[in-house]
Amino acid sequence: MKKWRCTVCGYIHEGPTPPDTCPICGVGPEDFEEVVEEPKAAQTAVPSAPAGATGNVGPVPGGNQRDAIFKIEYGLFVATSRKDGRFNGQVCNTVFQITSEPQRVAVALNKNNLTNEFVKASGLVTISVLGKDNFPDIKRFGYQTGHKVDKFEGFTYGVSATNGLPVLLNAVAYLDLKIDPALVMDVGTHTLFIGDVVDGGLIKGGDPITYSYYRANRR
Amino acid sequence: MKKWRCTVCGYIHEGPTPPDTCPICGVGPEDFEEVVEEPKAAQTAVPSAPAGATGNVGPVPGGNQRDAIFKIEYGLFVATSRKDGRFNGQVCNTVFQITSEPQRVAVALNKNNLTNEFVKASGLVTISVLGKDNFPDIKRFGYQTGHKVDKFEGFTYGVSATNGLPVLLNAVAYLDLKIDPALVMDVGTHTLFIGDVVDGGLIKGGDPITYSYYRANRR
């Protein structure tokens, strides 16, 4: 079976062809590349410092930014929003705090995703921080698109205290963000939304999962 | 012994008073708060769904965004740059890919840090992705400031293939970023730099560490 890697977020898909949509970051098949195992020349060419040497010991090989970029660690989240009385949500991995005064968090969402459109319309997004109990939720919110299905049909959820947006009851914690329109940045395939944390709380508590943990443990 | 938590990045300091500078994100003592253990009321008040129920089962308590925000997972990195022929570097936790075409990565650096000034001056930053072998490097690059010491004195390092900036020889991988001046955003205490990945490679390879792993395993 062939393996295909999402060049945006590192998601690995197994099958004869790449998937229609990356379940994590939402890009299409054109952003997948076939995974071909090859010897990592760079790993053996890093200079080794002579004992006692200090300072610059020489150049470290480049030319392999693809592999390097997948060494960045991320958490895993479901971002929810609403438009015209309808909810939608999606899996994402790029959520991070930027400042504490005021408390601001950034979220990057693919422009092709319905949730991106909903966040732009409502100015609100709620983040459920995923833990080990959320694997089925990743399938629901990551492996299908709100353009075609209602992801909340038959799903049991709570609503957040201030935004009133869906929260996953099995999640570790959640954050209500109010987006500052002056801090919405078009960064190419994605929009970077920077929002004030207006509310939040623990749900089940415990340890959040990382994206690499999910990749290693799914199925 | 009292415990103090950095309200920006969650770093825990033990001592009678908060530290002068957070070793991870660079904020001052005014951004630390004393850690007081208290019962997490929110954890017990989350609605439990009756068996078979679907849809909205009610509000999830808020009011605890401080605890929720520390459930966001991050990797751990050393960012290096230069100005007027001098190198500097700092530990940071907010590095993340934003788009793949072009390959762009964002880095948030505290404005008080010397590295922030160097990145603005040179338009270049190189990211070493930290692994389990980098604990001593976190002390060197996180627990002191380039405003007072030369962090590279007596240190053995390589230089990156394109930026020519210092790379940690014990790191997992590295990325050379060229900052797009149009994509530098003032977000309050920090500057968000968005850069094109112009080079990179594996160094030691293996698994990167998360910030929570570091917090649990240091000393």
mmCIF file of all heavy atoms in Angstrom, chain B residues 101-145:
data_model
loop_
_atom_site.group_PDB
_atom_site.id
_atom_site.type_symbol
_atom_site.label_atom_id
_atom_site.label_comp_id
_atom_site.label_asym_id
_atom_site.label_seq_id
_atom_site.Cartn_x
_atom_site.Cartn_y
_atom_site.Cartn_z
ATOM 1 N N GLU B 101 2.609 26.020 0.619
ATOM 2 C CA GLU B 101 2.960 26.581 -0.693
ATOM 3 C C GLU B 101 2.768 28.083 -0.667
ATOM 4 O O GLU B 101 1.671 28.562 -0.901
ATOM 5 C CB GLU B 101 2.096 25.944 -1.786
ATOM 6 C CG GLU B 101 2.321 24.467 -1.989
ATOM 7 C CD GLU B 101 3.694 24.132 -2.571
ATOM 8 O OE1 GLU B 101 4.337 25.035 -3.133
ATOM 9 O OE2 GLU B 101 4.111 22.980 -2.450
ATOM 10 N N PRO B 102 3.770 28.878 -0.382
ATOM 11 C CA PRO B 102 5.126 28.463 -0.026
ATOM 12 C C PRO B 102 5.180 27.919 1.400
ATOM 13 O O PRO B 102 4.274 28.173 2.181
ATOM 14 C CB PRO B 102 5.919 29.762 -0.129
ATOM 15 C CG PRO B 102 4.927 30.825 0.231
ATOM 16 C CD PRO B 102 3.620 30.341 -0.346
ATOM 17 N N GLN B 103 6.240 27.190 1.696
ATOM 18 C CA GLN B 103 6.414 26.685 3.061
ATOM 19 C C GLN B 103 6.699 27.856 3.988
ATOM 20 O O GLN B 103 7.750 28.499 3.889
ATOM 21 C CB GLN B 103 7.591 25.712 3.115
ATOM 22 C CG GLN B 103 7.237 24.310 2.677
ATOM 23 C CD GLN B 103 8.372 23.344 2.906
ATOM 24 O OE1 GLN B 103 9.523 23.679 2.691
ATOM 25 N NE2 GLN B 103 8.048 22.144 3.338
ATOM 26 N N ARG B 104 5.746 28.112 4.889
ATOM 27 C CA ARG B 104 5.909 29.233 5.809
ATOM 28 C C ARG B 104 5.747 28.781 7.246
ATOM 29 O O ARG B 104 4.860 27.996 7.558
ATOM 30 C CB ARG B 104 4.865 30.310 5.530
ATOM 31 C CG ARG B 104 5.224 31.206 4.394
ATOM 32 C CD ARG B 104 4.189 32.300 4.233
ATOM 33 N NE ARG B 104 4.564 33.177 3.142
ATOM 34 C CZ ARG B 104 3.690 33.849 2.387
ATOM 35 N NH1 ARG B 104 2.403 33.738 2.628
ATOM 36 N NH2 ARG B 104 4.118 34.622 1.422
ATOM 37 N N VAL B 105 6.588 29.325 8.099
ATOM 38 C CA VAL B 105 6.564 28.993 9.516
ATOM 39 C C VAL B 105 6.499 30.296 10.303
ATOM 40 O O VAL B 105 7.120 31.290 9.918
ATOM 41 C CB VAL B 105 7.827 28.180 9.895
ATOM 42 C CG1 VAL B 105 8.015 28.115 11.403
ATOM 43 C CG2 VAL B 105 7.737 26.767 9.316
ATOM 44 N N ALA B 106 5.721 30.303 11.381
ATOM 45 C CA ALA B 106 5.610 31.478 12.243
ATOM 46 C C ALA B 106 6.362 31.243 13.546
ATOM 47 O O ALA B 106 6.405 30.119 14.049
ATOM 48 C CB ALA B 106 4.148 31.778 12.535
ATOM 49 N N VAL B 107 6.951 32.303 14.071
ATOM 50 C CA VAL B 107 7.700 32.265 15.325
ATOM 51 C C VAL B 107 7.304 33.491 16.136
ATOM 52 O O VAL B 107 7.358 34.607 15.618
ATOM 53 C CB VAL B 107 9.226 32.340 15.068
ATOM 54 C CG1 VAL B 107 9.997 32.173 16.369
ATOM 55 C CG2 VAL B 107 9.662 31.324 14.036
ATOM 56 N N ALA B 108 6.900 33.299 17.389
ATOM 57 C CA ALA B 108 6.568 34.435 18.254
ATOM 58 C C ALA B 108 7.709 34.661 19.240
ATOM 59 O O ALA B 108 8.122 33.740 19.938
ATOM 60 C CB ALA B 108 5.262 34.171 19.003
ATOM 61 N N LEU B 109 8.234 35.882 19.272
ATOM 62 C CA LEU B 109 9.349 36.212 20.168
ATOM 63 C C LEU B 109 9.006 37.450 20.988
ATOM 64 O O LEU B 109 8.513 38.449 20.447
ATOM 65 C CB LEU B 109 10.630 36.480 19.360
ATOM 66 C CG LEU B 109 11.162 35.326 18.505
ATOM 67 C CD1 LEU B 109 12.385 35.787 17.713
ATOM 68 C CD2 LEU B 109 11.510 34.116 19.361
ATOM 69 N N ASN B 110 9.295 37.377 22.278
ATOM 70 C CA ASN B 110 9.050 38.500 23.176
ATOM 71 C C ASN B 110 9.855 39.719 22.741
ATOM 72 O O ASN B 110 11.026 39.605 22.384
ATOM 73 C CB ASN B 110 9.433 38.091 24.605
ATOM 74 C CG ASN B 110 8.965 39.095 25.633
ATOM 75 O OD1 ASN B 110 9.526 40.177 25.755
ATOM 76 N ND2 ASN B 110 7.921 38.748 26.357
ATOM 77 N N LYS B 111 9.203 40.876 22.795
ATOM 78 C CA LYS B 111 9.863 42.107 22.332
ATOM 79 C C LYS B 111 11.049 42.510 23.194
ATOM 80 O O LYS B 111 11.929 43.240 22.740
ATOM 81 C CB LYS B 111 8.855 43.258 22.330
ATOM 82 C CG LYS B 111 7.808 43.172 21.245
ATOM 83 C CD LYS B 111 6.921 44.407 21.353
ATOM 84 C CE LYS B 111 5.685 44.283 20.507
ATOM 85 N NZ LYS B 111 4.732 45.374 20.828
ATOM 86 N N ASN B 112 11.065 42.077 24.455
ATOM 87 C CA ASN B 112 12.179 42.444 25.338
ATOM 88 C C ASN B 112 13.432 41.632 25.066
ATOM 89 O O ASN B 112 14.498 41.932 25.597
ATOM 90 C CB ASN B 112 11.784 42.233 26.808
ATOM 91 C CG ASN B 112 10.693 43.184 27.237
ATOM 92 O OD1 ASN B 112 10.601 44.299 26.728
ATOM 93 N ND2 ASN B 112 9.855 42.745 28.160
ATOM 94 N N ASN B 113 13.300 40.571 24.277
ATOM 95 C CA ASN B 113 14.445 39.693 24.056
ATOM 96 C C ASN B 113 15.356 40.235 22.963
ATOM 97 O O ASN B 113 14.890 40.756 21.948
ATOM 98 C CB ASN B 113 13.959 38.291 23.666
ATOM 99 C CG ASN B 113 13.372 37.542 24.856
ATOM 100 O OD1 ASN B 113 13.376 38.044 25.978
ATOM 101 N ND2 ASN B 113 12.876 36.348 24.614
ATOM 102 N N LEU B 114 16.659 40.053 23.177
ATOM 103 C CA LEU B 114 17.636 40.536 22.205
ATOM 104 C C LEU B 114 17.447 39.855 20.851
ATOM 105 O O LEU B 114 17.648 40.469 19.796
ATOM 106 C CB LEU B 114 19.058 40.287 22.734
ATOM 107 C CG LEU B 114 20.198 40.937 21.949
ATOM 108 C CD1 LEU B 114 20.099 42.463 22.014
ATOM 109 C CD2 LEU B 114 21.552 40.478 22.497
ATOM 110 N N THR B 115 17.043 38.588 20.871
ATOM 111 C CA THR B 115 16.874 37.865 19.606
ATOM 112 C C THR B 115 15.809 38.528 18.732
ATOM 113 O O THR B 115 15.952 38.583 17.501
ATOM 114 C CB THR B 115 16.512 36.390 19.878
ATOM 115 O OG1 THR B 115 17.507 35.828 20.742
ATOM 116 C CG2 THR B 115 16.474 35.581 18.595
ATOM 117 N N ASN B 116 14.753 39.039 19.358
ATOM 118 C CA ASN B 116 13.718 39.757 18.610
ATOM 119 C C ASN B 116 14.346 40.915 17.826
ATOM 120 O O ASN B 116 14.107 41.075 16.624
ATOM 121 C CB ASN B 116 12.661 40.269 19.606
ATOM 122 C CG ASN B 116 11.486 40.956 18.931
ATOM 123 O OD1 ASN B 116 11.678 41.836 18.091
ATOM 124 N ND2 ASN B 116 10.275 40.575 19.289
ATOM 125 N N GLU B 117 15.194 41.681 18.508
ATOM 126 C CA GLU B 117 15.869 42.820 17.867
ATOM 127 C C GLU B 117 16.756 42.344 16.712
ATOM 128 O O GLU B 117 16.793 42.962 15.641
ATOM 129 C CB GLU B 117 16.710 43.530 18.937
ATOM 130 C CG GLU B 117 17.480 44.738 18.473
ATOM 131 C CD GLU B 117 18.399 45.247 19.589
ATOM 132 O OE1 GLU B 117 18.027 45.151 20.782
ATOM 133 O OE2 GLU B 117 19.506 45.719 19.259
ATOM 134 N N PHE B 118 17.454 41.224 16.928
ATOM 135 C CA PHE B 118 18.353 40.703 15.894
ATOM 136 C C PHE B 118 17.566 40.225 14.665
ATOM 137 O O PHE B 118 17.999 40.411 13.528
ATOM 138 C CB PHE B 118 19.194 39.551 16.459
ATOM 139 C CG PHE B 118 20.367 39.992 17.298
ATOM 140 C CD1 PHE B 118 20.385 41.233 17.921
ATOM 141 C CD2 PHE B 118 21.465 39.155 17.472
ATOM 142 C CE1 PHE B 118 21.467 41.640 18.698
ATOM 143 C CE2 PHE B 118 22.557 39.552 18.232
ATOM 144 C CZ PHE B 118 22.561 40.793 18.850
ATOM 145 N N VAL B 119 16.419 39.598 14.898
ATOM 146 C CA VAL B 119 15.612 39.102 13.771
ATOM 147 C C VAL B 119 15.079 40.283 12.959
ATOM 148 O O VAL B 119 15.079 40.260 11.727
ATOM 149 C CB VAL B 119 14.450 38.208 14.259
ATOM 150 C CG1 VAL B 119 13.554 37.793 13.092
ATOM 151 C CG2 VAL B 119 14.989 36.969 14.968
ATOM 152 N N LYS B 120 14.651 41.322 13.661
ATOM 153 C CA LYS B 120 14.177 42.510 12.942
ATOM 154 C C LYS B 120 15.304 43.122 12.107
ATOM 155 O O LYS B 120 15.084 43.608 10.999
ATOM 156 C CB LYS B 120 13.626 43.543 13.930
ATOM 157 C CG LYS B 120 12.228 43.190 14.427
ATOM 158 C CD LYS B 120 11.727 44.176 15.467
ATOM 159 C CE LYS B 120 10.324 43.801 15.936
ATOM 160 N NZ LYS B 120 10.025 44.338 17.279
ATOM 161 N N ALA B 121 16.522 43.103 12.640
ATOM 162 C CA ALA B 121 17.652 43.719 11.943
ATOM 163 C C ALA B 121 18.105 42.895 10.738
ATOM 164 O O ALA B 121 18.397 43.437 9.673
ATOM 165 C CB ALA B 121 18.814 43.913 12.915
ATOM 166 N N SER B 122 18.151 41.579 10.891
ATOM 167 C CA SER B 122 18.721 40.735 9.828
ATOM 168 C C SER B 122 17.664 40.149 8.902
ATOM 169 O O SER B 122 17.971 39.744 7.778
ATOM 170 C CB SER B 122 19.522 39.585 10.449
ATOM 171 O OG SER B 122 18.659 38.706 11.155
ATOM 172 N N GLY B 123 16.415 40.062 9.377
ATOM 173 C CA GLY B 123 15.379 39.396 8.586
ATOM 174 C C GLY B 123 15.575 37.893 8.509
ATOM 175 O O GLY B 123 14.943 37.218 7.699
ATOM 176 N N LEU B 124 16.432 37.367 9.359
ATOM 177 C CA LEU B 124 16.730 35.934 9.336
ATOM 178 C C LEU B 124 16.584 35.335 10.729
ATOM 179 O O LEU B 124 16.949 35.962 11.723
ATOM 180 C CB LEU B 124 18.170 35.693 8.861
ATOM 181 C CG LEU B 124 18.567 36.236 7.485
ATOM 182 C CD1 LEU B 124 20.063 36.021 7.253
ATOM 183 C CD2 LEU B 124 17.751 35.565 6.385
ATOM 184 N N VAL B 125 16.061 34.121 10.781
ATOM 185 C CA VAL B 125 16.042 33.386 12.045
ATOM 186 C C VAL B 125 16.178 31.903 11.716
ATOM 187 O O VAL B 125 15.634 31.423 10.718
ATOM 188 C CB VAL B 125 14.767 33.689 12.876
ATOM 189 C CG1 VAL B 125 13.500 33.333 12.123
ATOM 190 C CG2 VAL B 125 14.798 32.978 14.222
ATOM 191 N N THR B 126 16.958 31.205 12.532
ATOM 192 C CA THR B 126 17.145 29.764 12.355
ATOM 193 C C THR B 126 16.634 29.052 13.598
ATOM 194 O O THR B 126 16.917 29.463 14.723
ATOM 195 C CB THR B 126 18.627 29.450 12.080
ATOM 196 O OG1 THR B 126 18.957 29.981 10.793
ATOM 197 C CG2 THR B 126 18.892 27.948 12.086
ATOM 198 N N ILE B 127 15.843 28.011 13.361
ATOM 199 C CA ILE B 127 15.173 27.297 14.448
ATOM 200 C C ILE B 127 15.814 25.928 14.631
ATOM 201 O O ILE B 127 15.821 25.117 13.703
ATOM 202 C CB ILE B 127 13.677 27.099 14.108
ATOM 203 C CG1 ILE B 127 12.984 28.445 13.852
ATOM 204 C CG2 ILE B 127 12.976 26.292 15.202
ATOM 205 C CD1 ILE B 127 12.941 29.366 15.037
ATOM 206 N N SER B 128 16.356 25.662 15.820
ATOM 207 C CA SER B 128 16.777 24.305 16.169
ATOM 208 C C SER B 128 15.629 23.652 16.929
ATOM 209 O O SER B 128 15.152 24.188 17.933
ATOM 210 C CB SER B 128 18.030 24.335 17.054
ATOM 211 O OG SER B 128 19.161 24.770 16.321
ATOM 212 N N VAL B 129 15.167 22.503 16.448
ATOM 213 C CA VAL B 129 14.077 21.776 17.100
ATOM 214 C C VAL B 129 14.695 20.903 18.193
ATOM 215 O O VAL B 129 15.534 20.046 17.909
ATOM 216 C CB VAL B 129 13.318 20.886 16.092
ATOM 217 C CG1 VAL B 129 12.179 20.146 16.777
ATOM 218 C CG2 VAL B 129 12.803 21.719 14.920
ATOM 219 N N LEU B 130 14.284 21.117 19.452
ATOM 220 C CA LEU B 130 14.964 20.467 20.571
ATOM 221 C C LEU B 130 14.440 19.064 20.860
ATOM 222 O O LEU B 130 13.252 18.777 20.708
ATOM 223 C CB LEU B 130 14.838 21.334 21.830
ATOM 224 C CG LEU B 130 15.361 22.768 21.699
ATOM 225 C CD1 LEU B 130 15.344 23.461 23.057
ATOM 226 C CD2 LEU B 130 16.762 22.813 21.094
ATOM 227 N N GLY B 131 15.371 18.218 21.297
ATOM 228 C CA GLY B 131 15.051 16.855 21.703
ATOM 229 C C GLY B 131 15.553 16.601 23.118
ATOM 230 O O GLY B 131 15.945 17.532 23.837
ATOM 231 N N LYS B 132 15.563 15.321 23.501
ATOM 232 C CA LYS B 132 15.902 14.967 24.883
ATOM 233 C C LYS B 132 17.343 15.316 25.252
ATOM 234 O O LYS B 132 17.682 15.399 26.429
ATOM 235 C CB LYS B 132 15.664 13.467 25.099
ATOM 236 C CG LYS B 132 14.200 13.074 25.032
ATOM 237 C CD LYS B 132 14.014 11.598 25.364
ATOM 238 C CE LYS B 132 12.527 11.235 25.452
ATOM 239 N NZ LYS B 132 11.797 11.460 24.183
ATOM 240 N N ASP B 133 18.215 15.494 24.264
ATOM 241 C CA ASP B 133 19.622 15.796 24.556
ATOM 242 C C ASP B 133 19.878 17.279 24.783
ATOM 243 O O ASP B 133 21.019 17.681 25.012
ATOM 244 C CB ASP B 133 20.510 15.328 23.391
ATOM 245 C CG ASP B 133 20.433 13.826 23.187
ATOM 246 O OD1 ASP B 133 20.177 13.105 24.178
ATOM 247 O OD2 ASP B 133 20.625 13.374 22.046
ATOM 248 N N ASN B 134 18.843 18.088 24.687
ATOM 249 C CA ASN B 134 19.059 19.539 24.707
ATOM 250 C C ASN B 134 18.762 20.224 26.043
ATOM 251 O O ASN B 134 18.693 21.451 26.096
ATOM 252 C CB ASN B 134 18.222 20.207 23.608
ATOM 253 C CG ASN B 134 18.702 19.849 22.217
ATOM 254 O OD1 ASN B 134 18.030 19.127 21.486
ATOM 255 N ND2 ASN B 134 19.884 20.316 21.857
ATOM 256 N N PHE B 135 18.590 19.440 27.113
ATOM 257 C CA PHE B 135 18.269 20.080 28.395
ATOM 258 C C PHE B 135 19.327 21.102 28.829
ATOM 259 O O PHE B 135 18.982 22.200 29.276
ATOM 260 C CB PHE B 135 18.025 19.021 29.479
ATOM 261 C CG PHE B 135 16.616 18.469 29.475
ATOM 262 C CD1 PHE B 135 16.042 17.958 28.322
ATOM 263 C CD2 PHE B 135 15.852 18.489 30.630
ATOM 264 C CE1 PHE B 135 14.737 17.471 28.313
ATOM 265 C CE2 PHE B 135 14.540 18.004 30.634
ATOM 266 C CZ PHE B 135 13.991 17.493 29.476
ATOM 267 N N PRO B 136 20.648 20.782 28.706
ATOM 268 C CA PRO B 136 21.643 21.802 29.101
ATOM 269 C C PRO B 136 21.564 23.054 28.220
ATOM 270 O O PRO B 136 21.817 24.165 28.686
ATOM 271 C CB PRO B 136 22.987 21.082 28.898
ATOM 272 C CG PRO B 136 22.657 19.627 28.893
ATOM 273 C CD PRO B 136 21.283 19.513 28.318
ATOM 274 N N ASP B 137 21.199 22.869 26.952
ATOM 275 C CA ASP B 137 21.094 24.019 26.049
ATOM 276 C C ASP B 137 19.946 24.934 26.459
ATOM 277 O O ASP B 137 19.993 26.146 26.245
ATOM 278 C CB ASP B 137 20.877 23.539 24.611
ATOM 279 C CG ASP B 137 22.011 22.659 24.123
ATOM 280 O OD1 ASP B 137 23.173 22.970 24.451
ATOM 281 O OD2 ASP B 137 21.737 21.656 23.446
ATOM 282 N N ILE B 138 18.894 24.340 27.039
ATOM 283 C CA ILE B 138 17.765 25.159 27.489
ATOM 284 C C ILE B 138 18.221 26.077 28.614
ATOM 285 O O ILE B 138 17.832 27.237 28.687
ATOM 286 C CB ILE B 138 16.587 24.259 27.921
ATOM 287 C CG1 ILE B 138 16.036 23.518 26.692
ATOM 288 C CG2 ILE B 138 15.482 25.083 28.589
ATOM 289 C CD1 ILE B 138 15.022 22.438 27.002
ATOM 290 N N LYS B 139 19.099 25.565 29.476
ATOM 291 C CA LYS B 139 19.645 26.428 30.536
ATOM 292 C C LYS B 139 20.470 27.558 29.922
ATOM 293 O O LYS B 139 20.332 28.722 30.277
ATOM 294 C CB LYS B 139 20.516 25.612 31.496
ATOM 295 C CG LYS B 139 19.708 24.767 32.466
ATOM 296 C CD LYS B 139 20.478 24.561 33.763
ATOM 297 C CE LYS B 139 19.742 23.634 34.721
ATOM 298 N NZ LYS B 139 18.500 24.209 35.235
ATOM 299 N N ARG B 140 21.325 27.209 28.974
ATOM 300 C CA ARG B 140 22.204 28.222 28.380
ATOM 301 C C ARG B 140 21.410 29.305 27.648
ATOM 302 O O ARG B 140 21.659 30.499 27.811
ATOM 303 C CB ARG B 140 23.179 27.561 27.396
ATOM 304 C CG ARG B 140 24.008 28.559 26.581
ATOM 305 C CD ARG B 140 24.979 27.857 25.642
ATOM 306 N NE ARG B 140 26.088 27.240 26.347
ATOM 307 C CZ ARG B 140 27.265 27.826 26.568
ATOM 308 N NH1 ARG B 140 27.483 29.065 26.143
ATOM 309 N NH2 ARG B 140 28.222 27.187 27.200
ATOM 310 N N PHE B 141 20.447 28.876 26.849
ATOM 311 C CA PHE B 141 19.760 29.846 25.992
ATOM 312 C C PHE B 141 18.493 30.425 26.619
ATOM 313 O O PHE B 141 17.971 31.420 26.137
ATOM 314 C CB PHE B 141 19.435 29.207 24.636
ATOM 315 C CG PHE B 141 20.651 29.025 23.784
ATOM 316 C CD1 PHE B 141 21.316 27.808 23.735
ATOM 317 C CD2 PHE B 141 21.159 30.095 23.064
ATOM 318 C CE1 PHE B 141 22.461 27.650 22.970
ATOM 319 C CE2 PHE B 141 22.300 29.954 22.298
ATOM 320 C CZ PHE B 141 22.958 28.731 22.248
ATOM 321 N N GLY B 142 18.002 29.779 27.698
ATOM 322 C CA GLY B 142 16.764 30.254 28.291
ATOM 323 C C GLY B 142 16.939 30.992 29.602
ATOM 324 O O GLY B 142 16.162 31.880 29.926
ATOM 325 N N TYR B 143 17.980 30.625 30.373
ATOM 326 C CA TYR B 143 18.079 31.147 31.731
ATOM 327 C C TYR B 143 19.001 32.351 31.859
ATOM 328 O O TYR B 143 19.395 32.720 32.944
ATOM 329 C CB TYR B 143 18.535 30.042 32.692
ATOM 330 C CG TYR B 143 17.494 28.982 32.960
ATOM 331 C CD1 TYR B 143 17.058 28.127 31.956
ATOM 332 C CD2 TYR B 143 16.927 28.837 34.230
ATOM 333 C CE1 TYR B 143 16.102 27.157 32.197
ATOM 334 C CE2 TYR B 143 15.973 27.871 34.481
ATOM 335 C CZ TYR B 143 15.562 27.029 33.457
ATOM 336 O OH TYR B 143 14.615 26.074 33.701
ATOM 337 N N GLN B 144 19.401 32.923 30.734
ATOM 338 C CA GLN B 144 20.216 34.136 30.790
ATOM 339 C C GLN B 144 19.883 34.972 29.558
ATOM 340 O O GLN B 144 19.306 34.473 28.599
ATOM 341 C CB GLN B 144 21.711 33.799 30.858
ATOM 342 C CG GLN B 144 22.165 32.760 29.842
ATOM 343 C CD GLN B 144 23.614 32.315 30.038
ATOM 344 O OE1 GLN B 144 24.307 32.789 30.925
ATOM 345 N NE2 GLN B 144 24.070 31.417 29.183
ATOM 346 N N THR B 145 20.223 36.245 29.613
ATOM 347 C CA THR B 145 19.850 37.124 28.505
ATOM 348 C C THR B 145 21.072 37.613 27.734
ATOM 349 O O THR B 145 22.119 37.920 28.333
ATOM 350 C CB THR B 145 19.037 38.339 29.001
ATOM 351 O OG1 THR B 145 18.918 39.275 27.906
ATOM 352 C CG2 THR B 145 19.711 39.037 30.172
#
